[in-house]
Every structure is written in structure tokens, then in C-alpha cells.
Amino acid sequence: MSDTTTESATARRVVVGYDTSGGAVRAVRVAATVAVERGLGLTILMAARDLDATATRTARNLRANPAYLDELRAAVQAKIDAFIATLAPDYPGLDVRTVLTGGNPAGVLSEASKDAALVVVGARGNTAGHRTPMLGGVSTAVIAHSEGPVLVVPETASPNPQGPVVLGLQDAPDARAAGEIAAREAEIRGVPLVAIYAWDISPELGDLGALAVLDPVKTQHDLESMLTELLAPITAGHENLVVERRVVQGSARSALVEASHSAVLIVLGSRGLGGFAGLMLGSISRSVTREAACPVLVVRYRGHDAAES
């Protein structure tokens, strides 16, 4: 099925960005699996500036050939239909819709996130036919501007189906919302939840300054207590969920990327600060989504309904 607008094709559906690249193909297959597991429909969304009649190159081509845009849409749709046909044997009965639209892919996917159940993108893409923008830059922009959860599929993603869901936890609204989703994902899969709180010495202090004000042993103990407190409301109602707590001194990026090699999924908030003064965790989503060995679900806080995203 093909749609030219996103109005009716994204609400409460899994929406995946597609640009014909290998990374996008992997993302579509992951999105299809999620849609089947959740009993949702799948929308394959392809946005490109060339599909916008007002874009400079398209307008020029239309002057030379009034049928140019229709021909372009037909050619792109044929490629997508052929790809969807390869999915059918693996996902029988899956409700698949396609959206072809002109514009910035990141903007279109971010807009779709307002009513989609989930947006899925590849961590990287390549410049495909008709100069479709690379998904590598798109994924970063979608994470930054999405109003709902974004599942990023790294190039080398090879998740362990029996592995844990790993939560990168911070004392911040995004991370608390991520925790609710991580607990639910672990419960659905029947796997443990591993919560990682990584802390590092503030670079502003310098090594000598940090040693003067921080007791590493006491800090580790305090953070372990804080991690337990942060997890309490997240795991409430999930009494059968196996939870492992890890407080790691060092880079949050390194800790999460290392954990991803045995995980089925990484879940983290899109931004936030650590709960202790001077222990600034900052945003690690960009690097983790590029380097992880499994898909990474990035959650943006939307207030009281975040857990329902």
C-alpha cells in the first residue's frame, strides 16, 4: 500500500526510515520484527528533497518534463514494492504501508514521532539513487528532535536474543522514562534488566582537583545507593524481573558499548545530567548508537505519559 502523506499512515504504528541503503534494509527488518511482536502495523517512510516539487533540481526537471515527478515517484515506489515483496515470507500477515514524501527525512521522521508507537532508523546510510540524504545524519537529528522513542540500528548490530536489556541510567527525566520502557522490554522478552550508572571525574576539575574533593570509595557507595533508589519506582510492578545493578567508574559510552556485545537491546535517555554535582554525564546517545553491537532505544521525556510512548 502506498500513501503520499503521513497523516493516516503513522498513528500508533512502527515507522521506519528507508533510503535503500544496507543500513536501512537492516532497520526495516528490525522494525518489522518489533511490529510483529507488538501486534502493530509497519510504515516504511521514504522522504527526499527530490520528491518535493519546489526543490530547485526537481522544479528544473519539471520544466523540462512535466511528468518528471510522477515518473520519479513511480520508479521509487516500484523499488520499495520489490523490497517489501522480499519481506513477506518472513513476516506473513504484517500490515505494511509506505509513505513517499518530499522534504528533509529527519524532519519528516521527527514529525511522525508525534503519533507513532516507535520510530526506527539505521545508524548510518549511504547516498542512494536520486540523492537521498544519508541516514547517518538523519538518525542523529531524529534523536535530537523526536517526541517519542527512537530505535537506532547500528551497522554491525548483532543482538543476542537471550541477552539482557541494558539500561543506561542517569538521574534525569529522560533516563527515568527510559527505565520504565527498559523494564517493560525486558519483561516482554523474558530476559534480565541490567542497569548501568557510569560516572567519571569532571574534566573541569582536572585530576589533582578531583582527588582533592572526591573520595572514590565513598562516591561509589553513594552512587550504588542512588542507583537502588532510582530503580525502585522503575521496577515497581515487575516483581518477577531479574535486575542487575552496575555502578562503573569511567566512560558511560565505553560501559554501554561493552555491555552491548552480550545484550539484546540498549535503552537510554536522549540527554541528562548525573545526580551528583561535578559528575556530568551529558548526552552519550550519539556515540552509543554508532558503536553498539545491538539496537539502541533512545527515549525522550514527554512528561507524565512518557512510559506510554
Side-chain angles (χ1 to χ4, degrees):
M1 173 179 178
S2 175
D3 283 290
T4 56
T5 70
T6 61
E7 208 167 285
S8 63
T10 60
R12 305 308 303 166
R13 298 173 67 85
V14 176
V15 178
V16 58
Y18 181 67
D19 69 354
T20 76
S21 68
V25 170
R26 285 189 290 273
V28 170
R29 289 194 168 274
V30 169
T33 299
V34 172
V36 170
E37 291 174 345
R38 302 297 184 267
L40 300 172
L42 175 68
T43 295
I44 299 175
L45 190 155
M46 185 170 185
R49 292 180 180 86
D50 282 3
L51 295 174
D52 181 355
T54 65
T56 301
R57 182 170 55 250
T58 303
R60 183 174 62 247
N61 289 333
L62 280 170
R63 287 193 294 272
N65 175 15
Y68 170 77
L69 191 53
D70 290 338
E71 292 172 356
L72 176 59
R73 284 184 177 279
V76 173
Q77 186 65 55
K79 288 184 177 181
I80 294 178
D81 289 345
F83 171 54
I84 291 175
T86 68
L87 296 177
D90 296 326
Y91 306 97
L94 177 61
D95 174 18
V96 181
R97 303 179 187 178
T98 62
V99 173
L100 300 181
T101 187
N104 184 310
V108 174
L109 286 166
S110 296
E111 182 68 21
S113 74
K114 292 179 179 179
D115 63 7
L118 177 69
V119 170
V120 183
V121 293
R124 299 178 189 272
N126 58 12
T127 301
H130 310 301
R131 301 192 183 184
T132 302
M134 295 175 67
L135 280 181
V138 170
S139 63
T140 299
V142 173
I143 290 171
H145 300 290
S146 174
E147 295 192 27
V150 178
L151 183 65
V152 182
V153 182
E155 282 184 293
T156 56
S158 181
N160 175 7
Q162 307 305 317
V165 171
V166 174
L167 168 65
L169 195 59
Q170 307 168 39
D171 185 15
D174 278 358
R176 288 194 291 271
E180 298 286 348
I181 292 178
R184 187 164 68 241
E185 291 293 328
E187 191 170 61
I188 289 172
R189 289 173 167 79
V191 299
L193 173 67
V194 175
I196 296 179
Y197 193 110
W199 66 281
D200 209 349
I201 300 299
S202 171
E204 287 82 2
L205 293 175
D207 291 340
L208 293 178
L211 292 173
V213 297
L214 282 180
D215 178 342
V217 175
K218 182 178 185 303
T219 299
Q220 181 79 11
H221 180 269
D222 289 344
L223 288 174
E224 288 173 353
S225 297
M226 190 181 80
L227 178 56
T228 298
E229 293 176 6
L230 289 173
L231 282 172
I234 289 172
T235 57
H238 302 280
E239 287 77 12
N240 296 324
L241 182 63
V242 176
V243 181
E244 178 184 342
R245 300 165 179 81
R246 297 181 193 172
V247 173
V248 180
Q249 182 178 354
S251 162
R253 178 198 64 77
S254 296
L256 290 170
V257 170
E258 180 179 352
S260 75
H261 288 281
S262 60
V264 65
L265 179 70
I266 298 285
V267 183
L268 67 161
S270 62
R271 53 185 169 76
L273 297 177
F276 281 51
L279 303 184
M280 184 172 182
L281 294 180
S283 174
I284 57 171
S285 58
R286 179 172 180 174
S287 55
V288 174
T289 55
R290 297 291 180 87
E291 301 173 32
C294 68
V296 180
L297 182 61
V298 184
V299 180
R300 190 178 183 89
Y301 180 62
R302 291 201 292 186
H304 68 279
D305 64 341
E308 301 300 321
S309 299

